[in-house]
Amino acid sequence: MNDFNTNNNGSTPQEQVSFKDYLNLIRNNFVPICIIILASLTVSIIYAVNAKNIYKSTTSIKINKPKGNILEAPLMPEFQDFGSDRFIANEIEILKSYNIREKVADAVIDTFKNSTNKNKFYLVLDKSKFGGKDKIVKKEDFIKAAATFATIEQKRGLDIVEISVESPSPYEAALIANCFAQEYKNLNLEINRNQLTVVKQFLKEQKEEKQQQLNSAEEILRSFQEKGGIIALDAQSTNLIEQLSNFEAQKNAVQIELSASTKVLNQYREELEKQNPRLADYLTQLSSEVYIKALQEQISKFEITRDIAAINKNNSSNDALIKDYNNKISDLNKKLNDKLKEVKAGIFASSPEEVKLLSQKIIEEEVKNNSLRISLKELEGIVKNYDKDFNELPKTTIELARFQRNRESLEKLYVLVEEKYQEALINEQSQPGNVLIIDDARMPVNPSKPNRMLIVLIGFVLGTGMAVGYVVVRNYFDNTVKTPEDIKKKNINVLAWIPQIEGVTNDNKELEFIVSKKPDSIPSEAFRALRTRVQFAKLDGDETKTILVTSSSAQEGKTTICVNLAASFAQSNKRTLIIDCDLRKPRVHNVFGEVRTPGLVDYLFGQAGLNEIIRASIMENLFFIPAGTIPPNPSELLESKKMKEFMDQIKDQFEIILLDSPPIIAVTDSEIISRRVDTTLLVVSSETTEMEIMEKSVEILKRSDSFIGTVLNNFSYKMGYGSYYKYYYYYSKPNSEDHKTKHKSKSLS
C-alpha cells in the first residue's frame, strides 16, 4: 500500500512553506553562512581598526533678517517664520557658494604657508601620491572637496546656522569652520555697506577734485593780486560775491549729491530688474506722478526762499519769515510721506519678501533724486539772476571779483563736500552686518568618527544579510532534493533516510559495504530501519520477496543501497540474493571484489549454469549474481521469456531477492523489471537528485503496482536532523560492558 496524500478530486495540494522549512534551510547551509558572516566580520574589523580618526568642529552664527519699515510687517504674524526660514535658506546657499569656498581656500592655504607646524594639516595636502614630500593640494580641488567635508545646516525653528567641518586634523577642522564663518560675515558686511561705499567713494573723488580746483583758484587770485596790486572791493560787491558764492556752492553741492544719488539709484534698479522687471518699470514711473512732483516742487521753492531769507540777516522780520517757511515745508513733507506710504503699502502687499526692502530703497531714492533735480533747477535760476548783477559791477573790480567769487565758491563747495564725505564715512563704518558669530569653532578633543563598534556591528548585520540572501538565492535556483520534507511535499512516500557514509569516496570504496564492515554504525542502523519498513510496506498480505532498487539518474547510490539492504536482510537470517540487472554499467561485483563474468547475461545466453553465476559473499546468507558479459540489447534481454523463467526459478532458492537496475530516466530497463517484482524502491540522493527528475521517475514507476516509496540517500543527519542523529548514535554505539565481554571471550579463546 503506497503512502500518498491526495485530495478527493485527485489533485495535488498546494505546497506550504513553514517556519521550520526556513530553519532547516539555514541549518543545512550552516557552514557557508558562518563563512560569509565571518568574512564580513573580519573585513569590518580590519576596516574599523585601520580607519582614520575624523574630528568634527562646529561654529554657530546668528543671521538676523534685515528690518524694513512698518509697512513690511506681516498681515498674519503666524506665517512670519516661514519667510524667515526662506531667508535663512537663501543665506545657507550663499554659504555653500563657490565664492565663499574660494575665499576659505585662500585663507586656509595662506595659513598653511605661514604655519611652522605642517603636521597640523591634512585636507590642504595632496595625498594622491604615496611617498615623497606632501604638497599643497590644488586650489580648485580644495574648493570642490569643501562641499563634502563642510556641512551647513539651520537649527530647526531658529535663525542660527551651524557650520561643521570634518577632518583627520582637529586643528584644521576648527580652522576651516572659523574661516567659513568669518568669510561669510565679511561678505555679508560688504553687501550691507555696498551702497554706502559707492557714495563714500564718489564723494572722496569729488573732494579731492574740488580741493585741487580750490588750490588752483587761490593760486590764480594770489598771482593776480601780486601783478595788479591789492584792490579792495566795496561792501556791496563783497556782499554780492558772498551771496553768489553761497548759492553756487549749494548748486554744485546739490549737483554732486544728485550724481551720487543717481549712481545708487541705478544700482538699485539693476538689482530689481533681475528680480522683477515689471516692478522696476513701475517704480521708475512712480517718481514722475503729478501729485508727488507738485509737492516736491513746492518744497524746493520754499527751501530756496527760506535760504535767501536766511542770507539777508539785516531784515529783523526774517526770523518770523524763516519759521513760517519751515512750517510750510514741514506740512508739505508730511503730505509727501503720507502719499509715499500709500504707494509702498500697495507695492508691498503684492510683492515677494525678497523685493520689499529693495523696493522701499528705490522709492526713497527716487523721491530724493527728484527733489535734488528740482532743487538744482531752482538754484541754477537763482545763480543766473545773481550773475546778471555780478556782470554789472564796475570794470575795474569785475576781474578781481570774478577770481574772488571763484575762490569763495570753491572753498564753500569743498567744505560742503568734505562734510558730506565725513558723514558718508561715518555711515559706512557704523553700518552693521546682520551676521553674528555666537560660537567659534574649537579644536575637538575626541574624534567623532569612526564609530568602530558600529562598524563591526554593521559588518555583522551585513554579513548575516548576505549569508541569508546567499542561502535564499541558492535555494531558489537549486532544485535538488535536500530533506525528507522536500519529498513529502510532493506527496511521495519516504521509507528511510540513509546518512552519508564517512570515508567513502570515488577513489576509496572500502566502506561502501558498511553493514558488513561496521554493523554497529549509524548507516547500518538506518539500513535495518529500511529493511523493516520494506517488509511491512504492504498490508494486504502479499509476500515481499523480490525487490527492485533503482534511481532517477547515475551516481545516486542505488548499488550501495541495494547491497547494504540485502546485507541487513541476511543479518536477519534470511537467505538473500543480489542480482546485478544493470547490464550497461554494472557495479555489484566491485563491491564484493569479484570479477564480472560469468554472470546473469552469460546464463541467459546459455553460456553458464546457475550454480556458476551464484556466488557467496563474505556474509552468511548473502549471495550475489554479477551482470556478466555486457549485451548489445539489455532491454530486450530483461524483457525476454528466458528472464521470466530465470526469476521464477530463483525465487524457490532464496527468501529475499534484490535487483540492482539502471537509472529509470536514462533507459527503460528499470520500468520493465518493475512489472515483474513485488516491490520497487527509488533511491534519491540528497542535494544531487533534481526535483523534477524525481517526480518524473515516480510517475513512471507508479504505472506498476510494485512502487512503495523512496529512499533518501546521503542525507546529513547532523545538519538537518540533529535529534535523529543523537538517538541513532545512542542506540547504535557499542555497549562498553558488551565490548569488554567480547574482548574477554576472545582472550579466553
Side-chain angles (χ1 to χ4, degrees):
M1 179 178 180
N2 296 344
D3 185 14
F4 292 113
N5 297 321
T6 57
N7 296 335
N8 294 333
N9 56 6
S11 62
T12 302
Q14 292 289 333
E15 180 177 333
Q16 299 293 328
V17 180
S18 64
F19 180 70
K20 182 180 178 182
D21 295 327
Y22 290 110
L23 290 179
N24 287 335
L25 181 64
I26 294 174
R27 190 162 50 185
N28 292 337
N29 294 273
F30 185 74
V31 173
I33 288 176
C34 290
I35 292 174
I36 294 174
I37 293 176
L38 185 61
S40 177
L41 197 59
T42 303
V43 171
S44 63
I45 291 174
I46 293 174
Y47 175 78
V49 171
N50 295 303
K52 285 184 174 296
N53 286 332
I54 303 297
Y55 296 86
K56 182 178 181 180
S57 184
T58 302
T59 179
S60 301
I61 59 176
K62 186 176 185 299
I63 305 178
N64 299 314
K65 188 178 178 184
K67 296 181 180 179
N69 59 20
I70 192 172
L71 296 174
E72 293 186 84
L75 297 176
M76 301 181 69
E78 60 269 20
F79 292 103
Q80 187 174 5
D81 289 341
F82 174 77
S84 177
D85 287 343
R86 184 173 181 178
F87 169 75
I88 297 297
N90 290 336
E91 296 303 304
I92 289 177
E93 291 304 314
I94 295 175
L95 266 165
K96 295 179 179 179
S97 66
Y98 186 91
N99 289 336
I100 291 293
R101 285 184 280 134
E102 184 178 24
K103 293 178 183 293
V104 171
D106 291 334
V108 174
I109 291 174
D110 288 342
T111 304
F112 172 78
K113 291 179 179 178
N114 297 325
S115 175
T116 56
N117 187 1
K118 309 296 185 183
N119 294 326
K120 295 190 299 182
F121 295 85
Y122 185 88
L123 298 175
V124 77
L125 298 175
D126 186 1
K127 300 290 183 180
S128 60
K129 296 180 179 179
F130 295 96
K133 188 177 180 181
D134 289 330
K135 296 181 180 179
I136 300 177
V137 71
K138 292 181 181 178
K139 180 179 174 181
E140 292 76 12
D141 295 337
F142 186 88
I143 294 172
K144 291 179 182 178
T148 58
F149 59 69
T151 305
I152 303 170
E153 296 177 339
Q154 176 188 8
K155 275 196 170 182
R156 185 175 180 84
L158 301 176
D159 293 339
I160 295 177
V161 174
E162 289 186 338
I163 306 172
S164 301
V165 175
E166 294 181 343
S167 171
S169 165
Y171 170 80
E172 188 180 42
L175 172 65
I176 296 175
N178 286 327
C179 285
F180 260 101
Q182 191 60 47
E183 293 300 333
Y184 169 68
K185 181 179 180 181
N186 294 340
L187 178 63
N188 178 268
L189 192 60
E190 181 182 340
I191 293 173
N192 286 337
R193 293 179 175 179
N194 185 36
Q195 307 305 331
L196 295 175
T197 303
V198 171
V199 174
K200 182 203 75 172
Q201 190 62 31
F202 178 76
L203 291 175
K204 182 180 179 181
E205 294 172 357
Q206 292 296 318
K207 183 190 76 165
E208 293 173 353
E209 180 183 342
K210 298 310 174 187
Q211 186 175 22
Q212 292 178 359
Q213 292 177 359
L214 177 59
N215 293 336
S216 178
E218 288 178 344
E219 182 63 27
I220 292 173
L221 178 60
R222 186 183 62 79
S223 178
F224 174 79
Q225 289 176 337
E226 288 178 353
K227 291 180 180 179
I230 299 176
I231 302 175
L233 299 176
D234 56 22
Q236 184 179 0
S237 299
T238 302
N239 187 41
L240 177 62
I241 291 172
E242 183 180 357
Q243 292 181 7
L244 180 57
S245 62
N246 280 334
F247 283 111
E248 273 190 329
Q250 288 185 30
K251 184 196 75 170
N252 292 332
V254 169
Q255 196 166 16
I256 292 173
E257 193 172 356
L258 177 62
S259 298
S261 175
T262 303
K263 279 181 174 289
V264 173
L265 184 59
N266 288 337
Q267 287 191 351
Y268 285 150
R269 285 174 177 171
E270 289 176 3
E271 188 174 348
L272 184 61
E273 184 75 24
K274 297 176 183 177
Q275 300 185 27
N276 194 332
R278 295 181 61 185
L279 182 59
D281 295 337
Y282 173 73
L283 293 179
T284 303
Q285 299 171 3
L286 180 65
S287 60
S288 60
E289 188 177 331
V290 177
Y291 181 72
I292 295 177
K293 194 170 184 180
L295 289 174
Q296 289 176 324
E297 289 177 351
Q298 291 181 32
I299 292 172
S300 179
K301 288 180 179 179
F302 283 136
E303 287 178 343
I304 297 299
T305 307
R306 180 196 60 189
D307 293 342
I308 294 174
I311 292 174
N312 298 325
K313 298 178 181 179
N314 296 331
N315 193 341
S316 59
S317 62
N318 281 353
D319 292 339
L321 187 61
I322 292 171
K323 184 177 180 181
D324 183 52
Y325 283 136
N326 285 332
N327 291 333
K328 290 180 179 180
I329 292 170
S330 178
D331 292 339
L332 292 173
N333 279 326
K334 186 175 182 303
K335 292 179 181 179
L336 179 61
N337 290 331
D338 291 340
K339 179 63 178 177
L340 292 176
K341 285 182 180 180
E342 294 178 8
V343 174
K344 291 178 181 178
I347 295 173
F348 294 150
S350 58
S351 298
E353 187 71 24
E354 304 88 61
V355 300
K356 283 184 180 181
L357 185 60
L358 185 58
S359 300
Q360 177 186 344
K361 291 180 179 179
I362 290 178
I363 292 173
E364 293 172 353
E365 200 64 40
E366 286 274 11
V367 173
K368 178 182 176 182
N369 194 273
N370 283 338
S371 297
L372 290 172
R373 291 181 187 278
I374 295 171
S375 297
L376 179 62
K377 186 176 180 182
E378 294 292 334
L379 287 170
E380 285 176 347
I382 294 174
V383 171
K384 188 175 181 182
N385 291 332
Y386 273 98
D387 271 336
K388 291 180 181 179
D389 296 337
F390 181 80
N391 291 329
E392 293 177 358
L393 291 175
K395 292 182 179 180
T396 55
T397 60
I398 192 168
E399 190 171 3
L400 176 61
R402 184 176 291 111
F403 292 143
Q404 188 75 19
R405 166 195 170 185
N406 189 35
R407 185 190 67 79
E408 290 186 11
S409 176
L410 288 171
E411 183 179 11
K412 292 178 180 179
L413 178 60
Y414 174 76
V415 172
L416 289 174
V417 173
E418 175 67 23
E419 291 177 355
K420 291 289 183 182
Y421 170 73
Q422 294 299 329
E423 181 181 348
L425 185 62
I426 293 172
N427 287 338
E428 181 195 34
Q429 296 301 319
S430 61
Q431 175 67 33
N434 57 330
V435 174
L436 176 64
I437 300 176
I438 59 176
D439 192 9
D440 291 326
R442 294 172 175 81
M443 286 180 57
V445 178
N446 299 317
S448 61
K449 294 179 182 178
N451 187 336
R452 290 177 168 82
M453 290 299 298
L454 181 61
I455 291 174
V456 173
L457 179 61
I458 291 175
F460 175 76
V461 173
L462 185 62
T464 303
M466 292 172 60
V468 172
Y470 163 78
V471 170
V472 171
V473 172
R474 179 187 176 188
N475 181 70
Y476 179 80
F477 289 102
D478 184 6
N479 195 31
T480 60
V481 177
K482 301 176 185 63
T483 64
E485 278 72 18
D486 293 340
I487 303 175
K488 291 179 180 179
K489 287 175 184 177
K490 300 299 180 180
N491 286 326
I492 301 173
N493 187 33
V494 181
L495 295 171
W497 319 319
I498 308 301
Q500 295 173 344
I501 301 175
E502 298 179 0
V504 175
T505 63
N506 292 331
D507 299 329
N508 184 11
K509 299 290 187 178
E510 182 180 353
L511 294 178
E512 187 175 9
F513 195 10
I514 189 70
V515 173
S516 173
K517 301 291 184 181
K518 292 185 177 182
D520 57 350
S521 65
I522 293 175
S524 298
E525 186 62 33
F527 281 112
R528 285 190 283 272
L530 175 61
R531 177 195 67 193
T532 302
R533 291 167 189 170
V534 169
Q535 285 178 319
F536 296 98
K538 292 186 176 183
L539 303 178
D540 52 5
D542 294 340
E543 183 182 8
T544 300
K545 192 176 185 69
T546 54
I547 304 170
L548 171 67
V549 179
T550 185
S551 63
S552 300
S553 57
Q555 303 297 322
E556 291 184 347
K558 61 177 180 57
T559 301
T560 303
I561 299 297
C562 182
V563 170
N564 285 282
L565 178 60
S568 65
F569 275 110
Q571 284 180 341
S572 63
N573 295 322
K574 291 184 181 291
R575 186 174 172 81
T576 306
L577 174 66
I578 304 172
I579 303 175
D580 193 350
C581 293
D582 189 348
L583 305 183
R584 302 171 190 270
K585 293 184 178 180
R587 281 196 61 251
V588 172
H589 63 282
N590 290 333
V591 176
F592 294 102
E594 297 285 344
V595 295
R596 190 179 71 241
T597 58
L600 176 62
V601 175
D602 302 292
Y603 172 80
L604 294 178
F605 278 105
Q607 297 178 358
L610 187 60
N611 293 331
E612 295 180 69
I613 63 174
I614 298 177
R615 304 180 190 181
S617 71
I618 59 175
M619 286 189 66
E620 186 180 356
N621 295 324
L622 180 61
F623 302 87
F624 70 96
I625 298 176
T629 305
I630 304 298
N633 54 346
S635 298
E636 288 78 4
L637 190 62
L638 293 173
E639 198 175 11
S640 65
K641 184 179 179 181
K642 185 71 172 174
M643 180 66 181
K644 183 177 182 303
E645 293 175 353
F646 166 75
M647 291 295 299
D648 292 338
Q649 181 182 2
I650 207 73
K651 286 180 183 179
D652 297 333
Q653 300 182 26
F654 294 93
E655 297 177 83
I656 298 293
I657 301 173
L658 286 93
L659 295 85
D660 182 21
S661 67
I664 192 166
I665 293 296
V667 293
T668 60
D669 300 9
S670 296
E671 186 177 0
I672 295 171
I673 301 174
S674 67
R675 301 178 188 276
R676 295 182 174 179
V677 296
D678 301 326
T679 300
T680 300
L681 305 179
L682 178 67
V683 176
V684 177
S685 181
S686 177
E687 298 187 1
T688 302
T689 306
E690 294 184 8
M691 195 74 68
E692 295 179 358
I693 295 178
M694 178 193 70
E695 291 182 281
K696 183 65 176 176
S697 301
V698 171
E699 181 183 350
I700 295 172
L701 292 175
K702 284 172 65 177
R703 295 171 186 172
S704 66
D705 296 333
S706 63
F707 179 68
I708 62 172
T710 60
V711 179
L712 183 60
N713 190 28
N714 292 322
F715 179 63
S716 177
Y717 283 98
K718 295 181 181 179
M719 296 300 296
Y721 288 71
S723 58
Y724 286 93
Y725 173 80
K726 178 179 67 176
Y727 296 141
Y728 268 123
Y729 179 78
Y730 177 78
Y731 284 105
S732 61
K733 69 179 180 178
N735 186 279
S736 58
E737 294 183 0
D738 294 342
H739 182 73
K740 291 179 180 179
T741 303
K742 291 180 181 179
H743 181 72
K744 184 176 180 181
S745 61
K746 288 182 180 179
S747 300
L748 292 174
S749 62

